[in-house]
Amino acid sequence: MPTPATGDKAAGYVARLSSLLLSTAQLLGSPSAPQAGDAARKLRRQASILIALGAVVIVVLMFGLDAREIALMPPRGAAGLWPVRVLTDFGKPAFVLSSIAALLMVVTLVAPIARGGLRSRLLHLAAELQYLLLAVVVPNAAGEFIKWIVGRGRPFVGGHANAFYFSHFAGTEAYASFPSAHAITSAALAFAVSALWPRLRIPMIVYALLIVASRLVLLAHHPSDVVAGALFGIIGAMAVRYWFAARRLGFAIGHDGAILPSRGPVSEPQRGCP
């Protein structure tokens, strides 16, 4: 039988952990930031510009470069490409999402036993990790739906360099080229990490470019596929950032509607918890 003190500590931990888990319901609440409307309008303008420019680039690539580019790449499965195959796995959605989820789980389990400033920092980190997770999940979910609709064949699926093999609603791996899930994941993660920690912007841009390049070298995608994937990833991460900022989670909204990382202390989800 546990001693009363041990039982009280266990009960207190469970109460704090339950309180922390329940606090995630704030994500489903209504926007509470006074400047949420300004931020929403700014997001719509930025997304509209990105979509318009991206659409032009994608069309130009499909008609002018896709077939030429894949014809220049080394044969699929070449032995010398093993470093590229290792590199590309770091942009795989399953790898990125499982890594973030594991870190979030650790922080969530440790935060209830922390005290004072450390607990506040861990609570803030938990909100940031939630943002990273959703910033990757949301655009990938949209991208998978578009893949199914478009059904674009991967490079050389028809036997030669033709960028216009389609089998709409096929739902098979051979016809899942547009958009690139690796590009979605790496671009979304690069944007999300840069949004939280601006000093990491350059390394994250390099990371995304390397992942995108690996998909081209391995003949997994056409250039227009990775551009479309990057577009999905960036806009998706922007939309999730707005969602968090409007609910004052991890971000703050300035008077001009600009969204900035919040570095303020995080209060307890329920102050009555022991």
Side-chain angles (χ1 to χ4, degrees):
M1 291 289 292
T3 64
T6 302
D8 289 344
K9 288 181 179 179
Y13 174 82
V14 171
R16 288 191 294 269
L17 179 60
S18 300
S19 152
L20 177 58
L21 294 175
L22 289 174
S23 70
T24 59
Q26 187 175 346
L27 282 171
L28 304 177
S30 301
S32 58
Q35 297 83 19
D38 294 333
R41 287 188 288 272
K42 190 165 189 174
L43 171 62
R44 286 193 292 269
R45 287 196 302 270
Q46 292 173 339
S48 298
I49 293 172
L50 284 175
I51 291 171
L53 292 176
V56 172
V57 172
I58 289 168
V59 170
V60 170
L61 290 175
M62 289 182 71
F63 284 92
L65 183 64
D66 279 0
R68 295 179 184 179
E69 186 276 336
I70 62 176
L72 296 174
M73 293 298 103
R76 182 181 279 114
L81 294 179
W82 68 265
V84 184
R85 285 191 283 271
V86 172
L87 170 65
T88 202
D89 282 344
F90 287 95
K92 186 179 294 185
F95 171 79
V96 171
L97 291 173
S98 61
S99 299
I100 298 172
L103 185 55
L104 176 58
M105 182 179 298
V106 171
V107 172
T108 301
L109 293 174
V110 172
I113 61 176
R115 293 289 182 268
L118 177 58
R119 181 186 293 182
S120 178
R121 289 192 292 273
L122 288 175
L123 292 173
H124 191 82
L125 178 59
E128 292 173 331
L129 290 172
Q130 288 174 358
Y131 166 63
L132 292 182
L133 191 67
L134 290 175
V136 176
V137 166
V138 169
N140 264 290
E144 288 301 313
F145 182 64
I146 297 300
K147 276 179 182 282
W148 175 68
I149 293 175
V150 174
R152 188 185 193 188
R154 293 188 184 274
F156 294 105
V157 73
H160 58 281
N162 187 331
F164 295 95
Y165 280 109
F166 292 92
S167 181
H168 306 300
F169 310 106
T172 63
E173 185 62 22
Y175 290 92
S177 192
F178 183 95
S180 163
H182 282 67
I184 292 174
T185 301
S186 58
L189 184 63
F191 180 92
V193 171
S194 301
L196 290 169
W197 303 289
R199 291 183 179 180
L200 297 177
R201 181 177 291 113
I202 298 302
M204 292 309 300
I205 290 175
V206 172
Y207 157 77
L209 291 175
L210 288 174
I211 296 299
V212 164
S214 74
R215 304 311 288 163
L216 300 178
V217 172
L218 294 174
L219 290 175
H221 292 284
H222 306 87
S224 58
D225 297 330
V226 297
V227 170
L231 188 64
F232 266 84
I234 291 171
I235 293 176
M238 288 171 59
V240 176
R241 181 184 63 168
Y242 163 76
W243 189 273
F244 273 68
R247 289 153 184 81
R248 303 183 185 186
L249 291 170
F251 296 95
I253 303 177
H255 293 295
D256 60 349
I259 299 176
L260 303 170
S262 173
R263 294 291 177 241
V266 178
S267 59
E268 298 288 344
Q270 293 182 3
R271 292 188 180 275
C273 291

